[in-house]
Amino acid sequence: MAAARLTQHRVDTLKPGRQPRDIRDLEFKGFGVRILTSGRKRYFLHAQIDGQRQWHAIGDAEDITLEQARAKAGALLASRLDGDEPGPVAPVPFETVAEEVFRRYRRHWKPGTLEVNLGYLRRQILPWFKGMAITDITRADVQRWFASLHRTPVAADRSAPVLSVIMRQAEIYGYRPEGSNPCAGIKRYRRRHRERFLDHDEIRRLSRVLDRRSENEPLLVVMVRLLLLTGCRKSEILSLQWPHYREGKLYLTDSKTGPRTVWLSSPARRILDGLPRRGRWMFPSPRGERHLSRGTLDNFWRDVRTDAGIADVRCHDLRHTYASVALAHGETVLTIGRLLGHNDPATTLKYTHLADATVHEAAEALAPVLGGED
């Protein structure tokens, strides 16, 4: 962390970099200015009081001068040392910072991700951290919180990154010292693979159930068939628009990993070519202004899987089935990653365990030859 004799001219001419950085004042120990990547500058005080390191945001350089910030920091430090309450510059509660983070950072999340993350904030994070000062939250606090969620390891693993984002942004916004994220290094729960894929018999049973329902619920049947035939995510199928379908492919403009092309098999193309075109949505809601809701598809899938005798199978497992079939037919991890829309090959590698049975069969078939048996 850099240190310099701060002057108003120096503060005014400081330029942002790729990362937020702090410059400490040589004249006032613990006082300094943070330069954010956006170009905003925020004065802070980081001092040891009653044996504890405390961090306080003093104010934005756009709102107060350097001398005003020094005076405010001095008054805060004096009040703390005298045991008085600091008044308007008291430590900010966690929930206040969390609200600011979700308001300012939401553009980095897709709408569905934002909704899910808000759920984790309300159900898993706020009940534990609400009322705590953002500066007082330590790594030990985070570890105790994470351990308290051991009965729901999936929720714990998915809410931990949300908490980490809040703490990281709290540093950037000037509420915590740089490099103080207490979520760093928290180990996730080790869980068995949840991937489930359908075998040939289960696929046949599912197909028969869909055939029976196709007359009364044609759009929902088509959606399930496309999930199985394309390996697309549920959100990608739900939000399909007719302009996305051309030249025998789906051109997704806003998938989870960004724009991508989905190459369609001939059965998938026949299904889409047989759909009526009413408006821009492939699967419009009865009201017409939006596509069918996630809840409508989820309710349909619960009924279908029960009728097909695969009650433990999630909609997302149709994507796993697509990957497992591709593996069984000799497709490479790179090709499957492109089919599924993965940016990182490591993401695709988790599917390779689905082909363990095929690998075992191959090893058994090679054994007589390699072992010299007739």
Side-chain angles (χ1 to χ4, degrees):
M1 187 179 297
R5 184 168 286 101
L6 291 180
T7 64
Q8 188 65 57
H9 176 72
R10 184 185 292 271
V11 171
D12 291 342
T13 56
L14 287 170
K15 302 296 183 184
R18 293 185 177 180
Q19 299 292 331
R21 71 183 193 278
D22 295 342
I23 297 182
R24 303 261 183 169
D25 187 12
L26 290 175
E27 295 182 358
F28 186 164
K29 187 175 180 180
F31 175 73
V33 63
R34 169 167 292 183
I35 305 96
L36 306 180
T37 54
S38 64
R40 293 182 61 188
K41 301 159 191 173
R42 179 169 288 171
Y43 296 110
F44 65 83
L45 176 66
H46 187 206
Q48 184 161 330
I49 302 170
D50 296 330
Q52 294 184 341
R53 301 297 294 179
Q54 298 187 13
W55 179 279
H56 298 281
I58 302 301
D60 284 358
E62 293 180 357
D63 302 326
I64 58 176
T65 66
L66 173 63
E67 290 310 311
Q68 289 172 332
R70 275 205 187 99
K72 194 173 181 180
L76 171 61
L77 183 59
S79 67
R80 280 300 199 186
L81 293 174
D82 291 341
D84 299 332
E85 289 298 321
V89 287
V92 181
F94 170 83
E95 60 270 23
T96 301
V97 178
E99 180 183 354
E100 180 180 350
V101 170
F102 269 76
R103 185 178 68 253
R104 297 173 61 179
Y105 193 78
R106 63 188 303 151
R107 62 187 176 84
H108 296 282
W109 290 320
K110 294 183 180 296
T113 304
L114 174 63
E115 183 180 352
V116 169
N117 289 348
L118 276 170
Y120 287 127
L121 175 67
R122 293 167 184 153
R123 293 189 295 269
Q124 276 77 33
I125 299 174
L126 281 179
W128 185 277
F129 293 103
K130 187 176 181 179
M132 296 179 66
I134 190 71
T135 53
D136 293 343
I137 297 173
T138 65
R139 179 177 172 81
D141 293 323
V142 173
Q143 288 176 324
R144 284 192 291 270
W145 163 75
F146 196 67
S148 74
L149 299 174
H150 69 279
R151 293 184 182 277
T152 54
V154 174
D157 284 350
R158 292 181 178 175
S159 56
V162 178
L163 179 61
S164 183
V165 167
I166 294 171
M167 291 300 181
R168 185 190 68 213
Q169 295 304 115
E171 294 180 26
I172 293 174
Y173 301 160
Y175 295 112
R176 289 179 61 93
E178 185 179 358
S180 67
N181 190 339
C183 301
I186 295 296
K187 292 184 178 180
R188 307 288 181 87
Y189 286 99
R190 296 183 64 183
R191 307 190 308 275
R192 293 179 180 178
H193 288 294
R194 295 190 66 208
E195 287 83 3
R196 165 79 156 85
F197 63 101
L198 303 178
D199 59 29
H200 293 301
D201 182 59
E202 290 172 328
I203 292 174
R204 283 194 294 269
R205 296 206 307 267
L206 173 60
S207 181
R208 287 196 292 267
V209 171
L210 293 175
D211 287 342
R212 291 198 299 268
R213 288 175 171 263
S214 61
E215 184 175 351
N216 295 327
E217 299 163 297
L219 289 185
L220 290 166
V221 167
V222 166
M223 292 174 78
V224 173
R225 292 195 189 280
L226 285 177
L227 287 169
L228 190 58
L229 285 169
T230 64
C232 284
R233 300 174 180 88
K234 184 164 54 176
S235 60
E236 294 170 344
I237 295 297
L238 276 166
S239 60
L240 280 176
Q241 301 179 35
W242 283 112
H244 296 162
Y245 177 46
R246 57 187 186 274
E247 302 168 353
K249 308 178 190 69
L250 294 175
Y251 295 90
L252 306 183
T253 57
D254 192 28
S255 72
K256 183 178 179 181
T257 54
R260 75 180 184 99
T261 301
V262 179
W263 296 75
L264 299 175
S265 63
S266 54
R269 294 195 300 272
R270 284 196 299 271
I271 288 174
L272 291 181
D273 291 340
L275 285 178
R277 299 199 179 201
R278 305 189 186 105
R280 64 183 177 124
W281 301 107
M282 279 194 188
F283 306 107
S285 73
R287 291 182 296 276
E289 72 275 9
R290 283 289 294 168
H291 56 70
L292 284 171
S293 69
R294 181 184 294 264
T296 300
L297 177 58
D298 288 342
N299 291 336
F300 176 75
W301 175 248
R302 279 192 287 269
D303 291 342
V304 165
R305 70 182 185 180
T306 300
D307 289 349
I310 50 173
D312 63 322
V313 176
R314 304 165 300 164
C315 239
H316 195 69
D317 292 324
L318 300 180
R319 181 171 166 87
H320 299 154
T321 300
Y322 181 83
S324 72
V325 171
L327 279 166
H329 285 76
E331 298 297 342
T332 66
V333 169
L334 179 61
T335 298
I336 294 170
R338 290 189 62 189
L339 289 171
L340 295 176
H342 291 160
N343 285 337
D344 185 354
T347 306
T348 315
L349 287 174
K350 72 176 183 179
Y351 290 103
T352 56
H353 76 279
L354 300 178
D356 286 347
T358 302
V359 175
H360 181 261
E361 291 174 5
E364 290 294 328
L366 288 172
V369 178
L370 298 177
E373 301 176 15
D374 293 332

